[in-house]
Amino acid sequence: MNKSLRYISISHITATVNQRSHYQFSNEQTSDFINILRKKFSDISGLVLLATCNRTELYFESVTTNATSIRDFLLTSKGHQSSNLAEKLFSLSDDTETTVNHLLQVAAGLESSVLGDAEIIHQIKKAHQLAIVHQLQGSLLERALQAVFKCHKRISNETHFRDGTTSLAYKSLKIVKDTYNKAQLKNAKILFVGAGDIVKQLFKYNSKFKFRNIYVTNRTEQKAKDLALEHHCKVLDWKKVLQGEVNDFDVIISAISNYKNLIHNIPARPKALLIDLSVQGSIDRDLAHEKHIKFYDLDTISEDLKEAKEQRFSAIEEVNKIISHELSAYSKWLHEAPLRAMLLEYKTIINQIVVGYFDPYEDFDNIEKVTNHVMKKIMHQPNILMSSEKMDKLISEQVDNLKEVVI
């Protein structure tokens, strides 16, 4: 049986933040889950697990294991039984071209909560690297990812779809700027909670905002220290966060995973800004009801970014044309696979015949040249494959031509 590229997905399109939180993976959990899947489903030869704040998706290459089986296994592994409600939270497909199209749409940012979000391509690259580490590229999957990277480059170079920044990290810092006046910002004490991709993006975009009084904290202290050293900020001891000693911060932006309601008590002060970029809800949402607190989470920030989406709508048609072109190229490659396999078999046979005209120990280059010339002729005249007489004649002609050139 032939292999197929398949996928399952739960995202902001199909589920709320709370519903998605049950199917999130930390960096440590991702590798463990990949290893478990390999043992459970031995026919999987390619696998990418894409886990972001807005989606959890599995792209996998297999012969018999289907998307429904993987979805049900994920449900069970996360402590949920398969049900009509859970099933509706996921989209899935067992068709290779449908899967590639979905991946291209996701990678382009067309499926992001922030239209055209450029961070998704970096997250896909990171997931791809993990697949390489686990030796789970798979031929169908690897080809699809190369199509993704080519598509991303074309969209950046040929359209205005990437113009401007509409990332969650950038928007969060913009909210900080808009909440306080210049005098307040000069002395504002800001805390970044976490050390993952989003926090790194916060530091990246802060080069534009130039907030100075920044602290970073993380459960792995060394990661926080590394970020603090790189970006010239201070480190807050993680124990203080666990003990709730964050009272003197004007702004807290949290992107830590697996710590629900980590921050749950902010004493009354003139103004406090809390931004929760974690799916699980690391900042207690009840704080949103406090008068002295301005509170934003993933959903509210995404809502605020709608205006930015409109600026990119004009380029969507061009983006879709590029995606369509790359999908067609992939489909052509996919449907020509049987022909490539057949030609590979013929090349072996042809090579063996050509060896009979030369000394295999002294004329290796000539054998390769004649074999390649014959293969090119066959690709342009496939009817030659139907006749051994025509093939023998073609090989003989190519040998004679080569010898004439040498003479």
Side-chain angles (χ1 to χ4, degrees), residues 255-274:
I256 195 83
S257 60
N258 298 323
Y259 276 91
K260 188 174 179 62
N261 294 342
L262 172 67
I263 296 163
H264 53 271
N265 181 33
I266 301 294
R269 57 189 303 140
K271 187 187 293 182
L273 174 61
L274 305 180

Side-chain angles (χ1 to χ4, degrees), residues 260-265 274 276 281-288 295:
K260 188 174 179 62
N261 294 342
L262 172 67
I263 296 163
H264 53 271
N265 181 33
L274 305 180
D276 190 354
S282 55
I283 300 178
D284 189 345
R285 285 178 171 81
D286 286 342
L287 292 174
F295 179 88

Side-chain angles (χ1 to χ4, degrees), residues 176-182 184-185 250-251 271-273:
V176 176
K177 182 181 178 181
D178 293 343
T179 300
Y180 299 93
N181 60 41
K182 287 185 178 180
Q184 291 171 326
L185 283 175
D250 300 287
V251 180
K271 187 187 293 182
L273 174 61

